[in-house]
Amino acid sequence: NAGVMQNPRHLVRRRGQEARLRCSPMKGHSHVYWYRQLPEEGLKFMVYLQKENIIDESGMPKERFSAEFPKEGPSILRIQQVVRGDSAAYFCASSPRGQNTDTQYFGPGTRLTVL
Amino acid sequence: KNEVEQSPQNLTAQEGEFITINCSYSVGISALHWLQQHPGGGIVSLFMLSSGKKKHGRLIATINIQEKHSSLHITASHPRDSAVYICAVYFGNEKLTFGTGTRLTIIP
């Protein structure tokens, strides 16, 4: 029973390039959350998705960032025209029902470095 | 404003000591997570609780809803417990708000 999977684990991009981060939730989980951890800072909520729906994107920067969770395949966090300030660890988590009494299971994270 | 505060920020102790990490939050919550982030960066959910007390091995988590406070205790601490411990709460919705974490170092 595989846990939450994220790939790549490490991603290096030059300024202006695009970054695509993937998250496959645990089997049977249809709710996905993305979080960002800037260097030496705490985790911050970015977006909450269900299959084919964005439920809450209040933590997403208004520009360059987008997320999707299609009917088939992993959830994707996309960052266009990356800047140095996007360098961070991006974690996704999944839960079975999306309720605030559910445990969230975290993936290993993707560490993005922007040169 | 919905806020989560942890104390201490850093904690160094000798192997075997009893450890307590505290978490306070500003308004009522529906549930609270304690998470462990390993030196390699991975995050593990230790407990989720909305009332009372939970125990798993050497770890104990308690929550006092009236006082808006939770504690994580580690008994007979071991160097492998060295990690960052993070408190995260649901302020009534589905997204977690995180504390800044407590960096624990256990010296052999």
Side-chain angles (χ1 to χ4, degrees):
Chain A
N1 185 17
V4 178
M5 300 178 70
Q6 289 187 250
N7 68 80
R9 296 289 302 275
H10 299 273
L11 182 61
V12 179
R13 285 287 177 266
R14 296 193 180 279
R15 281 181 299 169
Q17 291 184 320
E18 179 179 286
R20 279 183 177 243
L21 288 61
R22 293 173 188 78
C23 170
S24 296
M26 285 183 72
K27 188 176 180 181
H29 289 193
S30 57
H31 299 259
V32 166
Y33 310 79
W34 284 94
Y35 301 98
R36 179 166 67 173
Q37 187 174 39
L38 292 167
E40 304 303 319
E41 292 190 19
L43 287 153
K44 295 283 194 299
F45 167 81
M46 297 183 76
V47 62
Y48 162 39
L49 310 106
Q50 273 183 273
K51 287 279 188 182
E52 300 185 277
N53 283 306
I54 297 174
I55 307 301
D56 184 340
E57 56 182 348
S58 58
M60 288 275 271
K62 293 286 184 273
E63 297 176 348
R64 301 187 297 108
F65 284 73
S66 62
E68 62 175 7
F69 188 15
K71 188 176 179 181
E72 301 290 338
S75 176
I76 307 284
L77 179 67
R78 182 180 176 211
I79 312 172
Q80 295 178 287
Q81 299 175 316
V82 295
V83 301
R84 290 219 173 101
D86 297 332
S87 295
Y90 292 83
F91 291 92
C92 83
S94 73
S95 69
R97 295 166 300 181
Q99 295 176 6
N100 56 18
T101 50
D102 271 357
T103 295
Q104 291 189 19
Y105 297 85
F106 285 78
T110 293
R111 275 140 193 88
L112 172 66
T113 302
V114 179
L115 302 177
Chain B
K1 187 178 176 184
N2 297 341
E3 292 183 332
V4 182
E5 292 189 0
Q6 284 186 240
S7 63
Q9 286 192 337
N10 294 284
L11 178 56
T12 300
Q14 292 291 134
E15 183 174 355
E17 285 190 39
F18 181 80
I19 303 299
T20 295
I21 299 170
N22 297 299
C23 175
S24 297
Y25 45 90
S26 53
V27 298
I29 63 170
S30 51
L32 180 148
H33 271 271
W34 279 103
L35 308 169
Q36 180 191 53
Q37 186 168 26
H38 296 286
I43 297 173
V44 175
S45 180
L46 299 174
F47 294 103
M48 195 191 71
L49 63 167
S50 53
S51 65
K53 175 180 175 179
K54 287 189 177 180
K55 185 177 190 290
H56 182 70
R58 295 180 296 106
L59 301 177
I60 303 166
T62 63
I63 189 167
N64 185 318
I65 297 296
Q66 286 75 28
E67 294 190 4
K68 299 184 181 60
H69 180 269
S70 176
S71 292
L72 176 68
H73 305 285
I74 305 174
T75 61
S77 58
H78 190 276
R80 65 174 174 266
D81 297 326
S82 298
V84 176
Y85 291 84
I86 303 167
C87 168
V89 304
Y90 288 109
F91 285 115
N93 53 24
E94 298 91 355
K95 62 185 182 188
L96 288 171
T97 301
F98 298 85
T100 51
T102 294
R103 186 175 300 275
L104 174 65
T105 304
I106 303 297
I107 299 171

